């Protein structure tokens, strides 16, 4: 008996990735895939694929035939669909930001949009299995984390959980591949704009992924953690690397931190802490669902640098969504992944 | 009457760039170009060029026929050639690290090489015209700065000079194009290694450009300034972008800092401070000799982010070397540049 | 006395390149630059530049103040502006396709647009100086060639002119950088679509640059020449390389063809025929206004391969437009170019 | 019972790809992996991987414990290892060129190396399953085709087999990703050399993959077929696209050819003939073991253009090697592939 699943928003990068993963999943089955723009057509009109998938409008999706729905829609657009799926009794993994922040007022402040399904916020679980595995297991609605937060929270979790994040502050310098900007053409994603350049954007305390990071790190630390965040767009299709500058108690050098991280993540199938002398690079994570982490001394006691790499569409989006489904339905947590 | 100049190490990226700039320079003339590996051949064996240049061995270079010599040789290899040029009475712009640190012991600690011409260190001037223009004017030996230090020092100069660098500390996250790694093939510069990735290296307090940065910033600040430095290799040929995380007095928000930077650099032809709402990107500097800087709030009073972009071969190497020659010989400072 | 010039369509890639070239030109002066979308703003809103240029609407352009107008508008949109400029007595270099084909019916068949200024077709000169220098000198209206045709016609000219193009047929496999597709965002130019791929398009006998190629090659050969054409989009910003498969009289091996090409182009400042053992690559032409050509045996007598590389925005557009202006106004033909 | 397999040359790109595929193969098991340079170390020293693989020297490989050996060594170096494996009774898939040409003299003429195991040539089967499936099934030694020949032969097979290749001649313009040039650093594969360029090489009738192409196409056509071949290096890591210019009987337009190709490849799991209106691009094949083909009119009756795309490391090397193993051992032909 396979888990029957549907994908809302199947022609975006993350949605298409999900379709691909689901079709190879040994214990899951793709029942429907939606696209407002391409409804009536085929997924192969947008992407090459041998075994084709028909696209339907979201409101035609046969919710009664699935046990799990993935919503890979833009923030704001996801809420209504999630609500409909939940009303049909379907368990949901939502890849948008709509259910990541439990407080609708905080959501509205950062996303400049009224929340249309605030009653569902209480049941939503933040879908980072390394932090919330038990809650995800029983969840009806999982809010899949953003790509930047995934790389940052996993890169800080052992520190925050052990109370080692001195000053309650992390400086995050992130570098992202262009697929993170979505599939809609814009001046920002034009090849000639991206190629042979590297561009910071939303520098400071303005990117919408900040409240997620601060929420999870503060929860772990038991005190407010503030994130200074500078994301950069780099000329690669997939991949994300975050360089984290932290202050720690002086006795914790890189070797000690490495041991802490290796212990913390010992049983985690998707987090890989590198040994001394090896540095996390983007390509070590690209095309996988892994988060790859390396620890480094910053030159003086009391400071450290953490490098955390993921594939923004893998552990940063579709791969983590599938991992969440696996946890929710009691499957092997890495079933269907590309490890 | 044109300045007669020679280039030692003309087949490396910076050396070749210098040759190109010199050939277009209205008031300079290329007299010789050296290459140990390709001596006896032509520059066009390595690079496309219509008006070809014969390559000679360094010890065959007619030092007696030039007024200015550029040394674009690896650190350690440059010292002996510089000494020979100076003994011949030729003024020198050295692009290596050999004369950037006045203290031979510091040099030897960072570069693991004995200094063979320590007697010349006293006369060497650190060739960042925005800081040392007067000294460069009269200098016999100019030590052209490294690419990373150029982007970082120009990005911090107004703060350091005004005593605004709180805590005497800067966190520097730099991203460099691959030409910065030199022209010799290695696993690190193999296309398939670099492409679709982004790789930190020498993270912490280990990169050899650190003592230059700390030396100049400390001198400006009148107190020790420490640099935490994480360089990253990115899949572009040319370009460099440094994101600087600094602490400043709380009343200095981005707007105030922008005014300070615009005043400080008001007369500088090669430093461009961007207006509010525009962010420095790598491509704004690529192919130019400019340093492009933008200022940003970090989210709380007392913290700021500076973004500083240069072309690692332009303002970061050959372009700055030519600027130095222009200053040394009393020419228009931007003569021969591509602005 | 400088030539006073204006640029219609200054925010497109070719138009902006023209503005840059004009501002560095020793004997020309930029008087106006137009943009419908950005009128009232500055060129630096779209591109970084130190010395800024105000943008006006095309119908506000002070035609009475210029001697030369460049039209860098899309085909179809250019005709009306060219007509207006000509009515004002201004000499024009038109970068669109609107005046490249003397027969309005042929134009309308390929471009699916009625020609609005057919009366001007008779005075238009096809602006490939290597073929039509004398006519360009006296021309009031120069139709600047397309990028593909420039690479192909220069690659075949010596053969066609000498009657060596056996069978009256050329197979052209061209590879173009993405700037050739223009600055408007579209799925085709999205970074993630272009990157890590290579895509043929308009394969066969369908691309609109074909009639230009056939027109010029047939004129030279004195008999109809047919072109089979497969253009490909490659993941580079600038550059174009055409690989030409031709049949020639059997006694003409690559060495003989090389001599012929070197003789034909002996006095040409912008065409560079490579010596034996060197192959034209895209990067040898990128960033220049040169056409670089190499000749190769195909394995059997009677067949040859010609490789012809240009920068699609250099010799393929703006650089050639400036070369045409230089010829028209009796200036040094390479004045203001980057050679 | 799983097929026990070993990989000679596991640190090259194709060898490493094979290791990855074998580890995910449901019916095969990796028993050993060799590397002369890295023997004694781990595969993760060269590549990131969670489940690590020990590397041994080739002469230490436990041939007695495997049923199948893959040789992913350079041509010339492969012969001796293949002979040793065959003497141990192990079935071999050789990814080098050493056993692709049945005539040792032809091999020696093209590869400038004496053949050290000519006695094995008779038993070697050319490993293109679409042409030689039956022979591969019973083969002890399979010579895995080159990447260029795979794309070209599959692109011409239906024409050659039906006697439609007029003139016995194909013009092949191929574009290859850089991984095809191997993992050894060289000036040719330096990032700054490849990036923002496109470079033809070995143009005409000189590339060593030509005799394979001509051998197979001539065999199919029942008459000599000559290939004119211009390979080009493009700035992508993986991927290959060949544009084939052929002459066909005039009644065979693209629609007729498409039908022929679709019939010919109807049962083939790894060849995908595209419908009208869709063009094969490199990315449609990258990351897969598919060959994707599209057919196009050339503008006049009697000429056609075929576009054939593969992943040079997939169907062009490791993927096809695994497909061959599957055929040899009676497994599902696509078992372990990424389709």
């Amino acid at each position: 008996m396979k888990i029957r699943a549907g994908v809302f928003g199947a022609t975006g990068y993350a949605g298409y990735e999900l379709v691909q993963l689901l079709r190879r999943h040994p214990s899951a089955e793709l029942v429907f895939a939606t696209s407002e723009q391409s409804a009536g057509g085929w997924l192969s009109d947008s992407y090459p694929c041998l075994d084709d998938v028909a696209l339907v409008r979201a409101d035609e999706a046969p919710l009664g035939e699935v046990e799990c729905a993935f919503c890979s829609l833009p923030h704001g657009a996801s809420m209504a669909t999630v609500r409909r799926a939940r009303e049909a009794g379907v368990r949901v993994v939502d890849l948008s930001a709509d259910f990541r922040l439990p407080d609708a007022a905080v959501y509205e402040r950062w996303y400049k949009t009224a929340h249309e399904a605030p009653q569902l916020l209480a049941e939503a679980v933040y879908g980072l299995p390394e932090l919330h595995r038990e809650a995800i297991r029983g969840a009806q609605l999982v809010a899949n984390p953003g790509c930047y937060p995934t790389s940052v929270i996993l890169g800080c979790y052992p520190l925050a959980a052990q109370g080692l994040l001195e000053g309650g502050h992390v400086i995050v310098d992130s570098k992202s591949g262009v697929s993170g900007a979505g599939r809609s053409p814009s001046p920002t994603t034009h090849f000639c704009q991206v190629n042979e350049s590297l561009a910071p954007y939303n520098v400071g305390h303005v990117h919408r992924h900040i409240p997620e990071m601060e929420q999870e790190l503060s929860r772990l630390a038991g005190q407010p953690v503030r994130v200074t965040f500078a994301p950069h767009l780099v000329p690669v299709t997939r991949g994300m690397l975050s360089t984290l500058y932290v202050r720690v108690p002086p006795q914790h050098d890189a070797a000690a931190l490495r041991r802490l991280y290796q212990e913390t993540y010992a049983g985690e199938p998707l987090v890989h802490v590198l040994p001394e002398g090896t540095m996390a690079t983007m390509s070590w994570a690209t095309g996988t669902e892994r988060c790859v982490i390396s620890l480094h001394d910053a030159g003086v006691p009391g400071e450290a640098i953490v490098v955390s790499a993921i594939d923004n569409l893998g552990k940063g989006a579709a791969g983590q969504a599938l991992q969440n489904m696996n946890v929710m339905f009691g499957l092997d947590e890495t079933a269907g992944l590309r490890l």
Side-chain angles (χ1 to χ4, degrees), chain A:
Chain A
M1 267 288 292
K2 296 189 164 189
I3 306 297
R4 297 168 61 79
V7 174
F8 289 97
T11 54
Y13 290 134
Y16 175 62
E17 186 91 355
L18 259 170
V19 168
Q20 287 187 299
L21 290 172
L22 281 169
R23 292 205 296 188
R24 282 185 286 199
H25 197 293
S27 316
E29 191 180 343
L30 180 70
V31 174
F32 67 78
T34 82
S35 166
E36 302 315 290
Q37 287 201 329
S38 309
W42 298 86
L43 194 51
S44 68
D45 298 341
S46 303
Y47 297 95
C49 39
L50 285 181
D51 307 313
D52 216 336
V53 174
L55 295 169
V56 299
R57 287 215 319 274
D59 58 14
E60 298 165 344
L63 278 169
E65 299 179 21
V66 301
E67 293 145 87
C68 182
F70 294 94
C71 276
S72 189
L73 301 170
H75 74 85
S78 201
M79 301 184 261
T81 301
V82 169
R83 192 177 48 197
R84 216 155 45 75
R86 290 297 306 120
E87 286 166 2
V90 176
R91 296 173 81 180
V92 174
V93 180
D94 180 35
L95 285 84
S96 86
D98 287 357
F99 297 94
R100 294 179 195 153
L101 306 173
D103 183 340
V106 174
Y107 175 85
E108 292 173 7
R109 190 161 67 245
W110 283 89
Y111 288 89
K112 317 290 182 209
T113 309
H115 205 294
E116 300 167 22
Q119 70 282 10
L120 292 178
L121 286 170
E123 77 171 41
V125 174
Y126 192 73
L128 202 53
E130 291 76 10
L131 272 69
H132 301 291
R133 186 168 282 116
E134 277 317 304
I136 294 166
R137 225 184 284 281
Q140 300 301 312
L141 169 52
V142 168
N144 211 56
C147 47
Y148 287 120
T150 296
S151 72
V152 172
I153 300 168
L154 291 176
C156 290
Y157 163 37
L159 295 179
Q162 298 296 320
L164 303 177
L165 221 44
E166 297 279 339
H169 184 209
V170 190
I171 291 177
V172 177
D173 191 294
S174 290
K175 298 88 176 169
S176 171
V178 183
S179 58
R183 199 167 152 247
S184 296
S186 77
T188 308
T189 59
H190 191 296
F191 183 83
C192 300
Q193 183 77 8
V194 174
N195 188 41
E196 293 302 283
S197 190
L198 184 146
Y201 68 101
N202 282 357
V203 160
H205 201 262
V206 292
H207 193 284
R208 286 162 165 174
H209 281 173
I210 286 176
E212 284 177 57
M213 302 184 202
E214 294 186 345
Q215 160 184 298
E216 295 299 310
L217 293 179
S218 299
R219 194 187 294 185
L220 288 165
Q223 59 165 26
V225 172
R226 187 168 51 84
V227 172
T228 297
F229 184 45
H232 301 72
L233 201 66
V234 299
V236 308
T237 295
R238 304 168 68 122
M240 173 165 285
L241 187 134
S242 294
T243 311
L244 314 175
Y245 301 89
V246 294
R247 283 189 291 133
V248 294
Q251 69 277 22
H252 287 75
D253 62 3
L257 294 178
R258 198 173 294 116
R259 280 193 302 275
L260 167 65
Y261 275 63
Q262 284 168 339
E263 283 161 23
T264 307
Y265 289 126
E268 287 299 340
L270 296 180
V271 183
H272 190 54
V273 181
L274 291 171
E276 197 189 339
T278 310
M279 227 162 270
T281 67
M282 206 182 259
S283 62
W284 284 56
T286 304
T288 80
E289 287 84 15
R290 283 207 292 268
C291 177
V292 180
I293 295 174
S294 62
L295 287 305
H296 310 278
D297 284 314
V300 291
E303 292 184 18
I305 300 174
V306 185
V307 182
S308 170
I310 60 170
D311 183 328
N312 60 306
L313 294 177
K315 183 67 176 166
Q320 185 146 268
L322 206 71
Q323 183 187 10
N324 277 319
M325 182 196 79
N326 288 340
V327 174
M328 290 163 84
F329 289 88
L331 305 175
D332 171 7
E333 192 165 326
T334 62
L337 301 184
R338 280 161 306 189
L339 280 192

